[in-house]
């Protein structure tokens, strides 16, 4: 087993390497290419979304302030009623989400509300900040794993160092935005809705319908943090007196 004097220099080198790789972290987070590549490698991308979803997303592609975003949408092989968007514009809806909106007869307005909310996370930089947090978290995991492996290189203490994107799907979906980011995405999402033919109340209707169905069936994007009631109240106030922020 290595002693402290041997371990500390190694950890110092690892720390310096991670610090110097900060630019690479930012580049990966900005494009989302590494995440998308890993999803394809793991065969977690089932297909493109159906025509109904594409038709809805097309209206957002035509919004002037969103034309620079390369919006693409896919069905994801991941459990739970989830939706997420990666830096770069790749949007994902789980198979359970697609099934959920079909079974509960979500209207186009309600689906558009969900889409608008996700696009707002991208447009406001939330998706990139979330990706950066995840990459940094997993790099810290590498340091800790390396440290433990050096202390106990064999036996039951042996820990496999995780590839920093191996568990990217479940971790990226579960890593939540802050309360402020959620409120901001709701607000800007409603603004984007106002620039389409869909109802400004689309996200409100989606939240209210899901609230009636029950929390147990909802996971990520309609989480209880912040509470649904707070989000719905703020959205109703904003829609009633729509004064768009400058974007």
């Amino acid at each position: 087993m290595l002693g402290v004097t041997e371990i500390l220099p190694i950890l110092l080198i690892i720390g310096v390497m991670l610090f110097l790789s900060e630019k690479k972290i930012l580049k990966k987070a900005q494009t989302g290419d590494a995440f998308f590549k890993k999803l394809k490698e793991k065969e977690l991308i089932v297909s493109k979304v159906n025509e109904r979803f594409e038709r809805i997303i097309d209206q957002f592609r035509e919004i002037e302030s969103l034309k620079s975003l390369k919006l693409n949408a896919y069905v994801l092989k991941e459990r739970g009623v989830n939706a997420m968007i990666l830096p770069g514009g790749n949007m994902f809806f789980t198979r359970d989400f697609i099934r959920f909106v079909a079974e509960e007869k979500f209207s186009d307005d309600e689906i558009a509300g969900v889409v608008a909310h996700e696009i707002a996370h991208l447009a406001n930089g939330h998706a990139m900040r979330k990706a950066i947090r995840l990459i940094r978290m997993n790099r810290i995991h590498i340091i800790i794993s390396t440290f433990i492996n050096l202390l106990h290189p064999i036996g039951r203490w042996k820990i496999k160092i995780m590839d920093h994107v191996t568990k990217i799907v479940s971790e990226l979906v579960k890593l939540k935005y802050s309360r402020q980011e959620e409120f901001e995405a709701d607000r800007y999402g409603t603004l984007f809705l106002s620039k389409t033919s869909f109802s400004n109340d689309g996200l409100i209707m989606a939240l209210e319908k899901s609230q009636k169905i029950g929390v147990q069936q909802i996971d990520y994007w309609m989480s209880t943090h912040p509470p649904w009631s707070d989000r719905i109240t703020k959205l109703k106030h904003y829609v009633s007196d729509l004064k768009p922020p400058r974007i």
Side-chain angles (χ1 to χ4, degrees), residues 177-221:
Y177 294 107
S178 69
R179 287 177 63 92
Q180 183 57 39
E181 287 172 334
E182 288 293 357
F183 285 133
E184 192 172 36
D186 285 348
R187 190 162 65 101
Y188 276 81
T190 300
L191 172 61
F192 296 148
L193 282 172
S194 72
K195 296 178 181 295
T196 68
S197 66
F198 302 114
S199 170
N200 292 349
D201 294 323
L203 181 54
I204 296 173
M205 293 188 292
L207 287 170
E208 288 180 331
K209 177 175 285 188
S210 301
Q211 190 175 36
K212 290 177 182 178
I213 295 167
V215 179
Q216 294 83 357
Q217 298 185 47
I218 313 297
D219 191 5
Y220 169 64
W221 77 271

Side-chain angles (χ1 to χ4, degrees), residues 115-142:
V115 170
H117 178 86
E118 291 303 321
I119 292 174
H121 276 310
L122 174 64
N124 284 282
H126 304 161
M128 184 176 71
R129 290 199 291 271
K130 179 181 174 184
I132 291 173
R133 289 200 303 270
L134 180 61
I135 293 173
R136 285 174 175 162
M137 283 167 53
N138 283 324
R139 288 190 174 224
I140 290 172
H141 175 93
I142 291 174

Side-chain angles (χ1 to χ4, degrees), residues 211-242:
Q211 190 175 36
K212 290 177 182 178
I213 295 167
V215 179
Q216 294 83 357
Q217 298 185 47
I218 313 297
D219 191 5
Y220 169 64
W221 77 271
M222 288 179 280
S223 69
T224 55
H225 179 75
W228 289 355
S229 56
D230 288 359
R231 293 176 66 185
I232 292 170
T233 298
K234 285 179 178 290
L235 278 165
K236 285 183 175 179
H237 177 73
Y238 181 64
V239 170
S240 67
D241 186 23
L242 190 59

Side-chain angles (χ1 to χ4, degrees), residues 4 8 21-22 33 78 89 126 144 148 175 203 208 224 227 235 239:
V4 175
L8 288 179
S21 68
E22 186 72 6
D33 290 345
E78 177 73 5
H126 304 161
I144 294 172
I148 295 176
L175 186 62
L203 181 54
E208 288 180 331
T224 55
L235 278 165
V239 170

Side-chain angles (χ1 to χ4, degrees), residues 15 28 68 103 133 142 147 166 172 192-193 195 240 243:
K28 284 185 177 181
S68 62
E103 290 175 351
R133 289 200 303 270
I142 291 174
F147 178 75
T166 297
L172 194 60
F192 296 148
L193 282 172
K195 296 178 181 295
S240 67
K243 293 180 180 179

Side-chain angles (χ1 to χ4, degrees), residues 27-79:
K27 184 178 179 180
K28 284 185 177 181
Q30 286 173 347
T31 63
D33 290 345
F35 303 138
F36 188 77
K37 181 181 178 181
K38 182 58 64 174
L39 291 174
K40 291 187 71 174
E41 287 176 358
K42 298 293 182 180
E43 298 183 348
L44 293 171
I45 297 175
V46 179
S47 64
K48 284 268 194 174
V49 291
N50 58 39
E51 288 186 15
R52 183 188 184 194
F53 273 73
E54 282 289 355
R55 193 169 60 249
I56 290 169
I57 296 168
D58 276 344
Q59 289 204 34
F60 293 97
R61 293 184 176 114
E62 294 302 313
I63 297 175
E64 193 63 36
S65 60
L66 299 180
K67 283 185 176 180
S68 62
L69 303 179
K70 297 178 181 179
L71 299 174
N72 293 294
Y74 303 88
V75 179
L76 195 63
K77 189 191 298 183
E78 177 73 5
R79 292 181 180 276

